[in-house]
Amino acid sequence: MNSWKNIRDDFPILNQEANGHPLVYLDNAATTQKPRAVIDALSRFYERDNANVHRGLHTLSMRATAGYEGARARVAAFVNAAAPEEIVFTRGTTESINLVAASWGGANLKPGDVILLTEMEHHSNLVPWQLVAKRTGATLRFVPVNGDEGLLDLPSLDRLLTPEVKVFAFTHVSNTLGTINPAAALCARARNAGVVTVVDAAQSIGHMPVDVRAMDCDFLAFSGHKMAGVTGIGALYGRRALLDAMPPWQGGGGMIAHVDFLESRWKPAPERFEAGTPNFGDAVALGAACDYLDGLGRAEIQRHGAALGRRAYEVLSGIPGIRLLGPRGERAALVSFSFADVHAHDVVTFADQDGIALRGGHHCNQPLMKKLGLTGTTRASFFVYNTEKEIEVLAASLRRTVKFFRG
Ligand code: 7TS
């Protein structure tokens, strides 16, 4: 069991100053920091076990293969998949969604079909669908977001789920608004209409229990680096029958059952979708990240993040002229806001002078920003090691910034 006591000591990077102040890292929605256990798992792999997987009969190769396939089983258990074969390792959320859009979408969409998305999607759950729509003649349709509170307009869903809709891809948690979408209910409504579901779990995977069988989704995409894992690795969960029926999206070594000069046959999933030397070192570290988060307890992580999200919303709402986005009630571990008279980039730059890491901009949500009449927001996003005290430090810094700009 990992312990919440002295949790900050698990993350070596936090023990430093930025611009003469203790580092307050509030950019976790972009990427989380890594605990010593994950960093050590990565070094251990390269110090003891490194060899290419799946092809060698020597000791190191067998150990590396066991590590890689063990990580697959660990990730499968982390999201409660029915089998390790339902986990395809990818570079992250973006690649996972591109895989589904290109492979499933390319094989199953045709002119007249509709791809249903929401207005709060990250560009990585929008642009891949635009690309496949162009290729296949399908069109895009969007579930509206209701104003600054940032909730999906759920009553409109039944009207939007017409027989032309073949796939519904939506984010579990909005990286810009902090909205937590009712994923299981959305999947159930889509399933009743015979629609395939793709859940973008980039912002939920490290912050709450994510159970693909409880959610009953068809696909789920996530990144390791947003859940205490290292960069360059993530996964696509896919229902086995769907994955096995999908064509490959990249060709190369490792994904073939047989190759001839003119044609080839594919292995079943997941190998079919993992052409070339896979990222086994980072996969092993992702397994260690799963262990770390489960050690803390994912329900406990969710409670901690929700409390910080709520507290930040409350404390920041006292700052004159602030416009807070996202739900007033239950929200994820982040808060997003803007000022009419201070640009988000200035807010971030001033906060950095106080040692605080924030993010300012459109957060890869340009269409949503346009709808809300904004060019960007400032965002503070939390993880397991953040504290209420850091929210006070943030609020004090923001007050100084707005005072400076207002003279
Ligand atoms: N989907 C959501 C909801 C995200 O927040 C992000 C990244 C992605 C997909 C893409 O993940 P990637 O690991 O493949 O890049 N979001 C952010 C962010 O909010 N700030 O930086 C990256």
Side-chain angles (χ1 to χ4, degrees):
M1 268 304 263
N2 306 316
S3 156
W4 284 83
K5 209 165 153 259
N6 304 326
I7 190 170
R8 293 177 72 88
D9 294 344
D10 291 349
F11 294 81
I13 202 169
L14 297 178
N15 185 22
Q16 64 174 300
E17 294 195 338
N19 295 315
H21 299 273
L23 172 66
V24 175
Y25 184 79
L26 302 180
D27 195 16
N28 293 285
T31 199
T32 64
Q33 300 302 350
K34 325 302 175 197
R36 172 72 70 198
V38 168
I39 300 168
D40 285 351
L42 189 67
S43 325
R44 227 176 13 249
F45 180 82
Y46 286 114
E47 285 172 7
R48 286 196 333 217
D49 302 329
N50 179 56
N52 209 333
V53 295
H54 294 157
R55 351 195 140 160
L57 290 177
H58 60 81
T59 303
L60 287 193
S61 176
M62 286 189 278
R63 233 153 55 199
T65 303
Y68 183 54
E69 293 307 325
R72 194 189 305 281
R74 184 65 190 86
V75 170
F78 193 73
V79 297
N80 196 29
E85 289 75 15
E86 295 186 321
I87 298 297
V88 179
F89 280 120
T90 64
R91 283 194 297 128
T93 312
T94 302
E95 191 171 79
S96 296
I97 296 170
N98 273 278
L99 194 171
V100 179
S103 171
W104 183 89
N108 291 285
L109 296 171
K110 55 180 189 320
D113 286 347
V114 171
I115 299 161
L116 184 62
L117 305 173
T118 83
E119 286 180 344
M120 66 170 81
E121 296 315 309
H122 187 278
H123 294 167
S124 63
N125 197 26
L126 169 58
V127 181
W129 297 110
Q130 291 176 342
L131 291 173
V132 75
K134 281 225 163 62
R135 255 176 64 208
T136 59
T139 55
L140 304 176
R141 186 183 286 174
F142 297 87
V143 181
V145 169
N146 278 334
D148 280 11
E149 261 226 86
L151 298 171
L152 285 181
D153 182 32
L154 294 179
S156 72
L157 193 57
D158 287 329
R159 182 172 47 77
L160 293 168
L161 276 173
T162 58
E164 297 78 37
V165 177
K166 293 295 179 303
V167 55
F168 179 26
F170 63 91
T171 194
H172 191 187
V173 168
S174 160
N175 67 319
T176 301
L177 302 163
T179 313
I180 304 170
N181 289 321
L186 293 178
C187 288
R189 284 169 75 172
R191 180 158 312 289
N192 285 340
V195 170
V196 166
T197 49
V198 183
V199 179
D200 174 350
Q203 295 296 347
S204 57
I205 191 73
H207 296 270
M208 57 189 69
V210 171
D211 178 331
V212 292
R213 279 189 277 180
M215 206 183 271
D216 207 14
C217 56
D218 291 310
F219 296 99
L220 183 113
F222 55 95
S223 304
H225 72 96
K226 292 189 199 286
M227 52 167 283
V230 298
T231 46
I233 188 80
L236 172 70
Y237 157 80
R239 226 184 261 282
R240 197 163 180 180
L242 283 171
L243 284 179
D244 277 338
M246 281 157 53
W249 78 307
Q250 292 178 339
M255 48 77 74
I256 44 77
H258 179 81
V259 177
D260 233 320
F261 278 118
L262 293 182
E263 54 183 1
S264 305
R265 288 198 311 274
W266 327 125
K267 280 189 181 154
E271 284 88 356
R272 178 181 303 175
F273 303 106
E274 294 182 359
T277 296
N279 187 358
F280 40 81
D282 292 341
V284 167
L286 181 57
C290 295
D291 289 343
Y292 182 80
L293 296 181
D294 276 337
L296 289 177
R298 285 156 74 205
E300 201 47 48
I301 293 173
Q302 182 173 21
R303 265 194 293 281
H304 177 79
L308 290 179
R310 247 191 337 266
R311 181 80 189 134
Y313 192 93
E314 240 168 63
V315 171
L316 268 49
S317 67
I319 296 176
I322 199 165
R323 175 176 169 192
L324 283 156
L325 298 166
R328 278 174 224 285
E330 192 200 8
R331 56 169 36 251
L334 66 86
V335 63
S336 190
F337 52 91
S338 75
F339 298 100
D341 49 355
V342 191
H343 194 280
H345 287 168
D346 290 326
V347 176
V348 173
T349 306
F350 274 56
D352 183 52
Q353 292 308 308
D354 293 332
I356 306 167
L358 300 176
R359 177 145 297 217
H362 55 63
H363 313 295
C364 293
N365 261 177
Q366 276 183 12
L368 178 68
M369 289 291 134
K370 192 167 152 200
K371 168 165 173 154
L372 297 174
L374 291 162
T375 51
T377 72
T378 305
R379 181 184 70 190
S381 52
F382 312 107
F383 197 40
V384 293
Y385 35 70
N386 292 121
T387 62
E388 291 207 0
K389 169 90 192 321
E390 288 179 313
I391 293 173
E392 302 299 333
V393 173
L394 168 67
S397 169
L398 292 176
R399 283 181 192 279
R400 278 194 298 276
T401 302
V402 293
K403 202 161 160 215
F404 175 88
F405 278 91
R406 289 171 191 162

